[in-house]
Amino acid sequence: MTETELMLKGYGLTTAEFYYRMPDYRNVLNSFVWQDYDLAPDHPRLFEFVDYWQREIEGPLHSVRFTHRKMIAPGEWRNVTGEFNLH
């Protein structure tokens, strides 16, 4: 599915910043930025990624901050069924 199709289905861009600790350096806090198209308010893709992180990545999560923005609002899109040229 294209980004435009996702946006028309109600998806918006979710940006999350993950703070985590390295396994060998527990006193150092690192960050990782993740973006994907997701559905608010449940954010299934974000929580799927959090589950993946906890299952597959050795650096334990400290915290996650995220924001979500719909790129196309219902009133900003209209379907055009035809086009014609003048002159």
Side-chain angles (χ1 to χ4, degrees), residues 21-47:
R21 299 189 186 280
M22 295 295 287
D24 296 338
Y25 301 96
R26 297 287 178 153
N27 295 331
V28 177
L29 201 58
N30 295 291
S31 67
F32 174 79
V33 176
W34 173 91
Q35 280 189 324
D36 201 355
Y37 288 94
D38 209 353
L39 287 169
D42 296 330
H43 302 285
R45 291 189 178 180
L46 173 60
F47 287 107

PDB file of all heavy atoms in Angstrom, residues 21-47:
ATOM      1  N   ARG A  21      19.460   1.710  27.200  1.00  0.00           N
ATOM      2  CA  ARG A  21      20.805   1.544  27.764  1.00  0.00           C
ATOM      3  C   ARG A  21      21.534   0.443  27.005  1.00  0.00           C
ATOM      4  O   ARG A  21      20.934  -0.555  26.629  1.00  0.00           O
ATOM      5  CB  ARG A  21      20.716   1.193  29.237  1.00  0.00           C
ATOM      6  CG  ARG A  21      20.026   2.270  30.042  1.00  0.00           C
ATOM      7  CD  ARG A  21      20.129   2.011  31.523  1.00  0.00           C
ATOM      8  NE  ARG A  21      19.345   2.958  32.289  1.00  0.00           N
ATOM      9  CZ  ARG A  21      19.717   4.190  32.593  1.00  0.00           C
ATOM     10  NH1 ARG A  21      20.875   4.641  32.196  1.00  0.00           N
ATOM     11  NH2 ARG A  21      18.930   4.973  33.299  1.00  0.00           N
ATOM     12  N   MET A  22      22.812   0.639  26.797  1.00  0.00           N
ATOM     13  CA  MET A  22      23.631  -0.394  26.171  1.00  0.00           C
ATOM     14  C   MET A  22      23.882  -1.497  27.192  1.00  0.00           C
ATOM     15  O   MET A  22      24.065  -1.209  28.380  1.00  0.00           O
ATOM     16  CB  MET A  22      24.975   0.187  25.708  1.00  0.00           C
ATOM     17  CG  MET A  22      24.849   1.226  24.619  1.00  0.00           C
ATOM     18  SD  MET A  22      24.217   0.549  23.092  1.00  0.00           S
ATOM     19  CE  MET A  22      25.621  -0.374  22.544  1.00  0.00           C
ATOM     20  N   PRO A  23      23.904  -2.763  26.755  1.00  0.00           N
ATOM     21  CA  PRO A  23      24.108  -3.859  27.710  1.00  0.00           C
ATOM     22  C   PRO A  23      25.413  -3.754  28.504  1.00  0.00           C
ATOM     23  O   PRO A  23      25.443  -4.063  29.689  1.00  0.00           O
ATOM     24  CB  PRO A  23      24.120  -5.104  26.822  1.00  0.00           C
ATOM     25  CG  PRO A  23      23.419  -4.709  25.575  1.00  0.00           C
ATOM     26  CD  PRO A  23      23.664  -3.241  25.401  1.00  0.00           C
ATOM     27  N   ASP A  24      26.483  -3.294  27.863  1.00  0.00           N
ATOM     28  CA  ASP A  24      27.791  -3.223  28.533  1.00  0.00           C
ATOM     29  C   ASP A  24      28.032  -1.905  29.272  1.00  0.00           C
ATOM     30  O   ASP A  24      28.966  -1.801  30.052  1.00  0.00           O
ATOM     31  CB  ASP A  24      28.907  -3.424  27.516  1.00  0.00           C
ATOM     32  CG  ASP A  24      28.859  -4.811  26.897  1.00  0.00           C
ATOM     33  OD1 ASP A  24      28.264  -5.712  27.521  1.00  0.00           O
ATOM     34  OD2 ASP A  24      29.396  -4.994  25.794  1.00  0.00           O
ATOM     35  N   TYR A  25      27.217  -0.872  28.992  1.00  0.00           N
ATOM     36  CA  TYR A  25      27.398   0.450  29.592  1.00  0.00           C
ATOM     37  C   TYR A  25      26.056   0.935  30.133  1.00  0.00           C
ATOM     38  O   TYR A  25      25.419   1.808  29.553  1.00  0.00           O
ATOM     39  CB  TYR A  25      27.956   1.440  28.562  1.00  0.00           C
ATOM     40  CG  TYR A  25      29.279   1.013  28.002  1.00  0.00           C
ATOM     41  CD1 TYR A  25      29.355   0.326  26.797  1.00  0.00           C
ATOM     42  CD2 TYR A  25      30.459   1.288  28.683  1.00  0.00           C
ATOM     43  CE1 TYR A  25      30.574  -0.088  26.283  1.00  0.00           C
ATOM     44  CE2 TYR A  25      31.686   0.882  28.176  1.00  0.00           C
ATOM     45  CZ  TYR A  25      31.732   0.199  26.974  1.00  0.00           C
ATOM     46  OH  TYR A  25      32.940  -0.196  26.462  1.00  0.00           O
ATOM     47  N   ARG A  26      25.623   0.400  31.247  1.00  0.00           N
ATOM     48  CA  ARG A  26      24.298   0.679  31.803  1.00  0.00           C
ATOM     49  C   ARG A  26      24.123   2.135  32.242  1.00  0.00           C
ATOM     50  O   ARG A  26      22.998   2.590  32.397  1.00  0.00           O
ATOM     51  CB  ARG A  26      24.011  -0.249  32.997  1.00  0.00           C
ATOM     52  CG  ARG A  26      23.952  -1.700  32.638  1.00  0.00           C
ATOM     53  CD  ARG A  26      22.705  -2.017  31.893  1.00  0.00           C
ATOM     54  NE  ARG A  26      22.679  -3.425  31.495  1.00  0.00           N
ATOM     55  CZ  ARG A  26      21.578  -4.084  31.304  1.00  0.00           C
ATOM     56  NH1 ARG A  26      20.425  -3.516  31.473  1.00  0.00           N
ATOM     57  NH2 ARG A  26      21.642  -5.340  30.935  1.00  0.00           N
ATOM     58  N   ASN A  27      25.214   2.852  32.434  1.00  0.00           N
ATOM     59  CA  ASN A  27      25.116   4.250  32.869  1.00  0.00           C
ATOM     60  C   ASN A  27      24.956   5.222  31.712  1.00  0.00           C
ATOM     61  O   ASN A  27      24.759   6.403  31.944  1.00  0.00           O
ATOM     62  CB  ASN A  27      26.341   4.635  33.700  1.00  0.00           C
ATOM     63  CG  ASN A  27      26.407   3.865  35.000  1.00  0.00           C
ATOM     64  OD1 ASN A  27      25.372   3.482  35.534  1.00  0.00           O
ATOM     65  ND2 ASN A  27      27.598   3.619  35.502  1.00  0.00           N
ATOM     66  N   VAL A  28      25.055   4.726  30.487  1.00  0.00           N
ATOM     67  CA  VAL A  28      24.945   5.580  29.304  1.00  0.00           C
ATOM     68  C   VAL A  28      23.550   5.411  28.709  1.00  0.00           C
ATOM     69  O   VAL A  28      23.106   4.302  28.425  1.00  0.00           O
ATOM     70  CB  VAL A  28      26.017   5.220  28.254  1.00  0.00           C
ATOM     71  CG1 VAL A  28      25.856   6.063  27.012  1.00  0.00           C
ATOM     72  CG2 VAL A  28      27.409   5.379  28.851  1.00  0.00           C
ATOM     73  N   LEU A  29      22.859   6.532  28.509  1.00  0.00           N
ATOM     74  CA  LEU A  29      21.532   6.521  27.911  1.00  0.00           C
ATOM     75  C   LEU A  29      21.658   6.932  26.449  1.00  0.00           C
ATOM     76  O   LEU A  29      22.211   7.982  26.133  1.00  0.00           O
ATOM     77  CB  LEU A  29      20.630   7.495  28.673  1.00  0.00           C
ATOM     78  CG  LEU A  29      19.142   7.320  28.558  1.00  0.00           C
ATOM     79  CD1 LEU A  29      18.717   5.926  29.010  1.00  0.00           C
ATOM     80  CD2 LEU A  29      18.421   8.364  29.393  1.00  0.00           C
ATOM     81  N   ASN A  30      21.175   6.096  25.542  1.00  0.00           N
ATOM     82  CA  ASN A  30      21.234   6.358  24.106  1.00  0.00           C
ATOM     83  C   ASN A  30      19.831   6.619  23.582  1.00  0.00           C
ATOM     84  O   ASN A  30      18.847   6.298  24.240  1.00  0.00           O
ATOM     85  CB  ASN A  30      21.799   5.137  23.374  1.00  0.00           C
ATOM     86  CG  ASN A  30      23.222   4.873  23.740  1.00  0.00           C
ATOM     87  OD1 ASN A  30      24.107   5.630  23.387  1.00  0.00           O
ATOM     88  ND2 ASN A  30      23.460   3.799  24.469  1.00  0.00           N
ATOM     89  N   SER A  31      19.751   7.167  22.358  1.00  0.00           N
ATOM     90  CA  SER A  31      18.434   7.394  21.767  1.00  0.00           C
ATOM     91  C   SER A  31      18.392   6.852  20.342  1.00  0.00           C
ATOM     92  O   SER A  31      19.415   6.748  19.669  1.00  0.00           O
ATOM     93  CB  SER A  31      18.072   8.874  21.785  1.00  0.00           C
ATOM     94  OG  SER A  31      18.907   9.599  20.922  1.00  0.00           O
ATOM     95  N   PHE A  32      17.198   6.501  19.926  1.00  0.00           N
ATOM     96  CA  PHE A  32      16.943   5.964  18.597  1.00  0.00           C
ATOM     97  C   PHE A  32      15.608   6.539  18.135  1.00  0.00           C
ATOM     98  O   PHE A  32      14.627   6.525  18.885  1.00  0.00           O
ATOM     99  CB  PHE A  32      16.870   4.432  18.662  1.00  0.00           C
ATOM    100  CG  PHE A  32      16.465   3.781  17.375  1.00  0.00           C
ATOM    101  CD1 PHE A  32      17.370   3.613  16.350  1.00  0.00           C
ATOM    102  CD2 PHE A  32      15.163   3.335  17.192  1.00  0.00           C
ATOM    103  CE1 PHE A  32      16.995   3.010  15.168  1.00  0.00           C
ATOM    104  CE2 PHE A  32      14.775   2.725  16.017  1.00  0.00           C
ATOM    105  CZ  PHE A  32      15.697   2.559  14.998  1.00  0.00           C
ATOM    106  N   VAL A  33      15.556   7.080  16.908  1.00  0.00           N
ATOM    107  CA  VAL A  33      14.326   7.670  16.377  1.00  0.00           C
ATOM    108  C   VAL A  33      13.720   6.718  15.356  1.00  0.00           C
ATOM    109  O   VAL A  33      14.420   6.202  14.483  1.00  0.00           O
ATOM    110  CB  VAL A  33      14.598   9.055  15.747  1.00  0.00           C
ATOM    111  CG1 VAL A  33      13.345   9.622  15.112  1.00  0.00           C
ATOM    112  CG2 VAL A  33      15.135  10.012  16.799  1.00  0.00           C
ATOM    113  N   TRP A  34      12.410   6.512  15.463  1.00  0.00           N
ATOM    114  CA  TRP A  34      11.656   5.584  14.610  1.00  0.00           C
ATOM    115  C   TRP A  34      10.454   6.323  14.050  1.00  0.00           C
ATOM    116  O   TRP A  34       9.806   7.093  14.771  1.00  0.00           O
ATOM    117  CB  TRP A  34      11.222   4.397  15.464  1.00  0.00           C
ATOM    118  CG  TRP A  34      10.307   3.412  14.845  1.00  0.00           C
ATOM    119  CD1 TRP A  34      10.660   2.291  14.169  1.00  0.00           C
ATOM    120  CD2 TRP A  34       8.878   3.423  14.863  1.00  0.00           C
ATOM    121  NE1 TRP A  34       9.534   1.601  13.767  1.00  0.00           N
ATOM    122  CE2 TRP A  34       8.424   2.283  14.185  1.00  0.00           C
ATOM    123  CE3 TRP A  34       7.924   4.299  15.386  1.00  0.00           C
ATOM    124  CZ2 TRP A  34       7.079   2.001  14.009  1.00  0.00           C
ATOM    125  CZ3 TRP A  34       6.585   4.020  15.215  1.00  0.00           C
ATOM    126  CH2 TRP A  34       6.183   2.876  14.536  1.00  0.00           C
ATOM    127  N   GLN A  35      10.147   6.114  12.754  1.00  0.00           N
ATOM    128  CA  GLN A  35       8.968   6.703  12.130  1.00  0.00           C
ATOM    129  C   GLN A  35       8.254   5.665  11.291  1.00  0.00           C
ATOM    130  O   GLN A  35       8.900   4.854  10.616  1.00  0.00           O
ATOM    131  CB  GLN A  35       9.338   7.871  11.211  1.00  0.00           C
ATOM    132  CG  GLN A  35       9.597   9.149  11.913  1.00  0.00           C
ATOM    133  CD  GLN A  35       9.729  10.301  10.926  1.00  0.00           C
ATOM    134  OE1 GLN A  35      10.264  10.131   9.834  1.00  0.00           O
ATOM    135  NE2 GLN A  35       9.250  11.453  11.304  1.00  0.00           N
ATOM    136  N   ASP A  36       6.922   5.720  11.321  1.00  0.00           N
ATOM    137  CA  ASP A  36       6.111   4.845  10.477  1.00  0.00           C
ATOM    138  C   ASP A  36       4.700   5.412  10.439  1.00  0.00           C
ATOM    139  O   ASP A  36       4.322   6.215  11.288  1.00  0.00           O
ATOM    140  CB  ASP A  36       6.096   3.422  11.027  1.00  0.00           C
ATOM    141  CG  ASP A  36       5.734   2.384   9.970  1.00  0.00           C
ATOM    142  OD1 ASP A  36       5.394   2.769   8.825  1.00  0.00           O
ATOM    143  OD2 ASP A  36       5.778   1.190  10.275  1.00  0.00           O
ATOM    144  N   TYR A  37       3.931   4.991   9.447  1.00  0.00           N
ATOM    145  CA  TYR A  37       2.525   5.370   9.384  1.00  0.00           C
ATOM    146  C   TYR A  37       1.752   4.447  10.306  1.00  0.00           C
ATOM    147  O   TYR A  37       1.923   3.233  10.272  1.00  0.00           O
ATOM    148  CB  TYR A  37       2.008   5.296   7.951  1.00  0.00           C
ATOM    149  CG  TYR A  37       2.564   6.417   7.111  1.00  0.00           C
ATOM    150  CD1 TYR A  37       3.695   6.245   6.350  1.00  0.00           C
ATOM    151  CD2 TYR A  37       1.971   7.673   7.139  1.00  0.00           C
ATOM    152  CE1 TYR A  37       4.230   7.276   5.609  1.00  0.00           C
ATOM    153  CE2 TYR A  37       2.495   8.718   6.410  1.00  0.00           C
ATOM    154  CZ  TYR A  37       3.624   8.518   5.643  1.00  0.00           C
ATOM    155  OH  TYR A  37       4.149   9.551   4.926  1.00  0.00           O
ATOM    156  N   ASP A  38       0.908   5.034  11.160  1.00  0.00           N
ATOM    157  CA  ASP A  38       0.221   4.275  12.187  1.00  0.00           C
ATOM    158  C   ASP A  38      -1.168   4.862  12.426  1.00  0.00           C
ATOM    159  O   ASP A  38      -1.474   5.972  11.991  1.00  0.00           O
ATOM    160  CB  ASP A  38       1.040   4.333  13.475  1.00  0.00           C
ATOM    161  CG  ASP A  38       0.862   3.123  14.358  1.00  0.00           C
ATOM    162  OD1 ASP A  38       0.002   2.282  14.048  1.00  0.00           O
ATOM    163  OD2 ASP A  38       1.587   3.019  15.354  1.00  0.00           O
ATOM    164  N   LEU A  39      -2.002   4.115  13.126  1.00  0.00           N
ATOM    165  CA  LEU A  39      -3.358   4.538  13.446  1.00  0.00           C
ATOM    166  C   LEU A  39      -3.451   4.966  14.903  1.00  0.00           C
ATOM    167  O   LEU A  39      -3.155   4.180  15.805  1.00  0.00           O
ATOM    168  CB  LEU A  39      -4.346   3.387  13.201  1.00  0.00           C
ATOM    169  CG  LEU A  39      -4.642   3.054  11.754  1.00  0.00           C
ATOM    170  CD1 LEU A  39      -5.402   1.742  11.655  1.00  0.00           C
ATOM    171  CD2 LEU A  39      -5.436   4.173  11.102  1.00  0.00           C
ATOM    172  N   ALA A  40      -3.865   6.205  15.124  1.00  0.00           N
ATOM    173  CA  ALA A  40      -4.111   6.687  16.487  1.00  0.00           C
ATOM    174  C   ALA A  40      -5.543   6.306  16.853  1.00  0.00           C
ATOM    175  O   ALA A  40      -6.392   6.198  15.975  1.00  0.00           O
ATOM    176  CB  ALA A  40      -3.925   8.198  16.546  1.00  0.00           C
ATOM    177  N   PRO A  41      -5.893   6.101  18.084  1.00  0.00           N
ATOM    178  CA  PRO A  41      -5.082   6.256  19.286  1.00  0.00           C
ATOM    179  C   PRO A  41      -4.395   4.975  19.740  1.00  0.00           C
ATOM    180  O   PRO A  41      -3.683   4.986  20.742  1.00  0.00           O
ATOM    181  CB  PRO A  41      -6.114   6.689  20.329  1.00  0.00           C
ATOM    182  CG  PRO A  41      -7.355   5.960  19.936  1.00  0.00           C
ATOM    183  CD  PRO A  41      -7.311   5.901  18.415  1.00  0.00           C
ATOM    184  N   ASP A  42      -4.617   3.857  19.053  1.00  0.00           N
ATOM    185  CA  ASP A  42      -4.070   2.580  19.529  1.00  0.00           C
ATOM    186  C   ASP A  42      -2.616   2.340  19.136  1.00  0.00           C
ATOM    187  O   ASP A  42      -1.918   1.594  19.810  1.00  0.00           O
ATOM    188  CB  ASP A  42      -4.918   1.406  19.031  1.00  0.00           C
ATOM    189  CG  ASP A  42      -6.319   1.452  19.600  1.00  0.00           C
ATOM    190  OD1 ASP A  42      -6.483   1.968  20.731  1.00  0.00           O
ATOM    191  OD2 ASP A  42      -7.246   0.998  18.922  1.00  0.00           O
ATOM    192  N   HIS A  43      -2.161   2.919  18.043  1.00  0.00           N
ATOM    193  CA  HIS A  43      -0.781   2.809  17.564  1.00  0.00           C
ATOM    194  C   HIS A  43      -0.283   1.363  17.486  1.00  0.00           C
ATOM    195  O   HIS A  43       0.724   0.997  18.112  1.00  0.00           O
ATOM    196  CB  HIS A  43       0.165   3.643  18.430  1.00  0.00           C
ATOM    197  CG  HIS A  43      -0.200   5.094  18.465  1.00  0.00           C
ATOM    198  ND1 HIS A  43       0.041   5.926  17.410  1.00  0.00           N
ATOM    199  CD2 HIS A  43      -0.823   5.834  19.412  1.00  0.00           C
ATOM    200  CE1 HIS A  43      -0.396   7.132  17.706  1.00  0.00           C
ATOM    201  NE2 HIS A  43      -0.930   7.106  18.902  1.00  0.00           N
ATOM    202  N   PRO A  44      -0.942   0.506  16.701  1.00  0.00           N
ATOM    203  CA  PRO A  44      -0.529  -0.903  16.644  1.00  0.00           C
ATOM    204  C   PRO A  44       0.886  -1.112  16.112  1.00  0.00           C
ATOM    205  O   PRO A  44       1.606  -1.991  16.596  1.00  0.00           O
ATOM    206  CB  PRO A  44      -1.573  -1.548  15.734  1.00  0.00           C
ATOM    207  CG  PRO A  44      -2.178  -0.432  14.958  1.00  0.00           C
ATOM    208  CD  PRO A  44      -2.089   0.775  15.842  1.00  0.00           C
ATOM    209  N   ARG A  45       1.319  -0.320  15.141  1.00  0.00           N
ATOM    210  CA  ARG A  45       2.676  -0.503  14.599  1.00  0.00           C
ATOM    211  C   ARG A  45       3.741  -0.091  15.607  1.00  0.00           C
ATOM    212  O   ARG A  45       4.793  -0.717  15.706  1.00  0.00           O
ATOM    213  CB  ARG A  45       2.841   0.257  13.294  1.00  0.00           C
ATOM    214  CG  ARG A  45       2.026  -0.359  12.177  1.00  0.00           C
ATOM    215  CD  ARG A  45       2.338   0.252  10.854  1.00  0.00           C
ATOM    216  NE  ARG A  45       1.557  -0.413   9.822  1.00  0.00           N
ATOM    217  CZ  ARG A  45       1.615  -0.105   8.549  1.00  0.00           C
ATOM    218  NH1 ARG A  45       2.426   0.840   8.135  1.00  0.00           N
ATOM    219  NH2 ARG A  45       0.881  -0.747   7.671  1.00  0.00           N
ATOM    220  N   LEU A  46       3.481   0.977  16.338  1.00  0.00           N
ATOM    221  CA  LEU A  46       4.430   1.412  17.360  1.00  0.00           C
ATOM    222  C   LEU A  46       4.586   0.331  18.429  1.00  0.00           C
ATOM    223  O   LEU A  46       5.710  -0.045  18.781  1.00  0.00           O
ATOM    224  CB  LEU A  46       3.976   2.721  18.005  1.00  0.00           C
ATOM    225  CG  LEU A  46       4.792   3.197  19.210  1.00  0.00           C
ATOM    226  CD1 LEU A  46       6.245   3.438  18.844  1.00  0.00           C
ATOM    227  CD2 LEU A  46       4.164   4.449  19.798  1.00  0.00           C
ATOM    228  N   PHE A  47       3.479  -0.191  18.935  1.00  0.00           N
ATOM    229  CA  PHE A  47       3.565  -1.194  19.984  1.00  0.00           C
ATOM    230  C   PHE A  47       4.118  -2.518  19.465  1.00  0.00           C
ATOM    231  O   PHE A  47       4.781  -3.249  20.208  1.00  0.00           O
ATOM    232  CB  PHE A  47       2.218  -1.367  20.677  1.00  0.00           C
ATOM    233  CG  PHE A  47       1.898  -0.197  21.572  1.00  0.00           C
ATOM    234  CD1 PHE A  47       0.938   0.727  21.208  1.00  0.00           C
ATOM    235  CD2 PHE A  47       2.598  -0.005  22.749  1.00  0.00           C
ATOM    236  CE1 PHE A  47       0.664   1.813  22.016  1.00  0.00           C
ATOM    237  CE2 PHE A  47       2.333   1.079  23.568  1.00  0.00           C
ATOM    238  CZ  PHE A  47       1.358   1.995  23.201  1.00  0.00           C
TER     239      PHE A  47
END
